[in-house]
Amino acid sequence: MKKIMMMAMMAAAATTAFAQSDVVKNAKKLLDKGEVEEAIKAVQPALNTGSAEEKAAAWNLLSAAQYKKFSDIQAVKIENQVKQANNPVDEAGMHQAAVASLEAAMKCDEFDAQPNEKGKVKPKFRSENQKIYQNGRLQCINAGQYLYNEKDYAGAFKAFALYVDSGDSPLFTGMDMTQDQYKAEVAYFASLSAYQDKDYNNVIKYAQIAAQDTAKAKDATEILVFSKRETMKTPQDTLEYISMLKEASQKFPADNRYSAWIGDYYLNSNKTDDLLKWAEDEIAKKPNDKFGYTYKGEALRLSGKFDEAVECYKKAFEIDPTYIAAAYQAGVSLNSKAIELKDQLADKKTGKLTVENANKIKAILSDAKVYLEKVRELDPDRKTVNWAYALYQMYYSLGDNAKAAELESLVGGN
């Protein structure tokens, strides 16, 4: 009985192997006849059954079919360009086939590199596939660009990431893949696609690859910062985010955004003491840093130290005479100082000022007016700051009714 069962099992195994071989052969016949889609469908049952050798053959056939699909569509596209024709082109299908063909070739190599029944590794398909995909993998870049432009960010990521990862695939064993001029840039676009798809783990993975290249380090750092900002949940995340900003600011001093983001974080989080300390550290490191002076001014203003704040804003505007934010804050802080001083100097009973004290207030307001008028000159359309009410109030306080009247329509639109 046992002998009969063993014979039955052997017969079943032989039948399975025969069926596996037939599936691949039939798929190849379809491919040879140009029936590409039919070949792709026909080979599917053989991809995950049978021996490693049989699976390798099936995946290799699938790779060949997908590459043929890509090549056929590409040929129509090229013909259209050359002959200025308008034959229909499945461009999405072309790019998807390019990606699928390389994926299948790598899967083929995974099985092709496994030891045979004698324990030896003798890949049958690697050499030929190396010839095809050493340059053929570049089509993944084209696919990624197309899919990204189509806003298929998951598909774009898959294409870009495949290009990057395939360079380390055993498929290319024996070939020097280290001199890859595109790897860093494609890794950056893989991270950018992942960011658009909110796939933050892959943002980090591929941005870190891109950052290893000095030419892409700045862009990669930016997207790492963006990703961290999007995913902050715990106090530890916040500390890491600020640390990243400080490191980026130091590494790329010409990019002022990192300093601005640090300052904005402390400012918006009401961390006035931290803001002051950080700003003073920035000024010590970079004496001509307009952001350092501006944020120090903000910290001092929030602490009610208007005189010191104004001096910081004035210094920032001196460093950069086009820096609208500093000029505006200088103007409004001087106005706040004038209001505070007026309350201090006014008669407690009548609320009136002496001529001398009124002139002190007027001098401060006149100083404020200089800065607010400069803001108006630099930002006439109020795109950066809405200066209209502050300047209107200034003219009104100084008794310049004519100029105040000129701004009434703008103030009414606030």
Side-chain angles (χ1 to χ4, degrees):
M1 185 70 175
K2 184 181 290 187
K3 185 180 292 186
I4 294 172
M5 289 182 65
M6 287 296 295
M7 290 176 63
M9 289 173 63
M10 291 174 64
T15 302
T16 301
F18 180 74
Q20 173 85 353
S21 176
D22 277 354
V23 168
V24 176
K25 286 179 180 178
N26 289 335
K28 188 174 187 312
K29 288 179 181 178
L30 291 168
L31 182 60
D32 290 342
K33 291 191 293 182
E35 297 176 14
V36 179
E37 293 291 352
E38 289 76 4
I40 291 172
K41 292 176 184 176
V43 78
Q44 297 298 317
L47 296 176
N48 298 303
T49 58
S51 66
E53 182 179 3
E54 290 165 336
K55 290 176 185 175
W59 281 102
N60 188 65
L61 191 284
L62 178 62
S63 176
Q66 291 285 11
Y67 195 80
K68 179 75 164 69
K69 177 180 178 180
F70 158 75
S71 299
D72 288 349
I73 300 173
Q74 185 187 54
V76 176
K77 185 177 179 181
I78 292 172
E79 183 181 12
N80 283 347
Q81 293 170 344
V82 172
K83 298 182 177 179
Q84 296 185 337
N86 195 30
N87 297 311
V89 174
D90 180 8
E91 191 153 359
M94 178 183 77
H95 292 301
Q96 289 162 359
V99 171
S101 67
L102 177 55
E103 285 182 317
M106 291 168 61
K107 194 70 176 176
C108 164
D109 194 74
E110 177 186 324
F111 293 113
D112 201 22
Q114 291 182 18
N116 60 23
E117 65 279 359
K118 295 182 180 179
K120 294 183 179 181
V121 176
K122 292 184 177 181
K124 295 180 181 178
F125 306 107
R126 177 176 287 174
S127 178
E128 187 61 30
N129 282 336
Q130 282 183 346
K131 293 176 185 177
I132 296 171
Y133 292 106
Q134 184 181 16
N135 291 320
R137 61 192 282 265
L138 291 169
Q139 296 301 332
C140 289
I141 302 176
N142 295 332
Q145 290 175 329
Y146 172 82
L147 294 168
Y148 188 92
N149 290 336
E150 293 293 307
K151 295 184 169 36
D152 179 0
Y153 300 120
F157 166 74
K158 180 180 179 181
F160 288 134
L162 180 61
Y163 176 85
V164 175
D165 296 341
S166 63
D168 298 321
S169 169
L171 172 62
F172 298 106
T173 298
M175 305 183 75
D176 182 9
M177 303 296 286
T178 60
Q179 305 303 313
D180 188 339
Q181 61 180 314
Y182 305 115
K183 182 176 180 178
E185 186 161 7
V186 178
Y188 168 73
F189 280 107
S191 69
L192 182 61
S193 301
Y195 179 80
Q196 297 285 13
D197 202 39
K198 301 186 185 302
D199 179 5
Y200 296 112
N201 287 334
N202 278 318
V203 172
I204 294 169
K205 176 181 176 180
Y206 289 92
Q208 287 177 338
I209 295 172
Q212 294 172 16
D213 186 289
T214 53
K216 296 305 298 181
K218 185 174 181 293
D219 291 338
T221 298
E222 176 184 80
I223 202 165
L224 283 168
V225 167
F226 287 163
S227 182
K228 190 65 179 179
R229 186 165 63 191
E230 293 282 344
T231 56
M232 285 192 300
K233 293 180 180 178
T234 67
Q236 182 61 34
D237 290 335
T238 301
L239 291 175
E240 291 173 1
Y241 171 66
I242 296 300
S243 179
M244 287 176 69
L245 289 177
K246 289 179 177 179
E247 184 179 343
S249 178
Q250 186 173 3
K251 193 172 182 181
F252 307 107
D255 192 337
N256 293 321
R257 293 175 306 163
Y258 296 114
S259 292
W261 291 338
I262 295 169
D264 285 345
Y265 168 75
Y266 286 137
L267 189 62
N268 296 331
S269 302
N270 296 317
K271 297 179 181 291
T272 306
D273 292 341
D274 290 337
L275 177 62
L276 181 60
K277 183 181 184 305
W278 168 77
E280 288 177 337
D281 289 344
E282 286 294 289
I283 292 169
K285 289 185 291 185
K286 298 180 283 185
N288 289 318
D289 179 22
K290 65 181 182 181
F291 290 108
Y293 280 105
T294 301
Y295 284 110
K296 182 179 180 181
E298 290 291 274
L300 292 167
R301 178 181 64 81
L302 291 171
S303 301
K305 300 176 181 178
F306 293 115
D307 285 340
E308 295 174 66
V310 167
E311 291 309 308
C312 288
Y313 295 135
K314 286 183 175 181
K315 179 63 177 178
F317 193 60
E318 179 185 320
I319 293 169
D320 181 359
T322 66
Y323 190 24
I324 294 168
Y328 179 75
Q329 290 295 358
V332 296
S333 294
L334 283 164
N335 184 53
S336 296
K337 176 185 175 182
I339 293 170
E340 185 179 77
L341 186 60
K342 182 180 179 181
D343 291 341
Q344 292 173 1
L345 298 178
D347 185 277
K348 303 303 179 186
K349 292 181 179 180
T350 65
K352 293 183 179 181
L353 294 166
T354 64
V355 172
E356 181 182 359
N357 287 338
N359 286 335
K360 289 180 182 178
I361 304 301
K362 185 175 181 180
I364 297 171
L365 291 173
S366 296
D367 195 8
K369 184 184 76 167
V370 170
Y371 284 96
L372 290 174
E373 286 183 334
K374 190 64 181 177
V375 171
R376 182 183 188 180
E377 177 187 328
L378 293 169
D379 187 24
D381 297 323
R382 299 180 291 167
K383 291 181 178 178
T384 302
V385 293
N386 193 352
W387 45 260
Y389 182 75
L391 187 57
Y392 169 82
Q393 187 182 47
M394 200 65 53
Y395 287 141
Y396 184 80
S397 298
L398 288 168
D400 193 338
N401 296 327
K403 287 191 174 179
E406 291 176 3
L407 296 179
E408 285 183 355
S409 62
L410 297 182
V411 173
N414 282 350

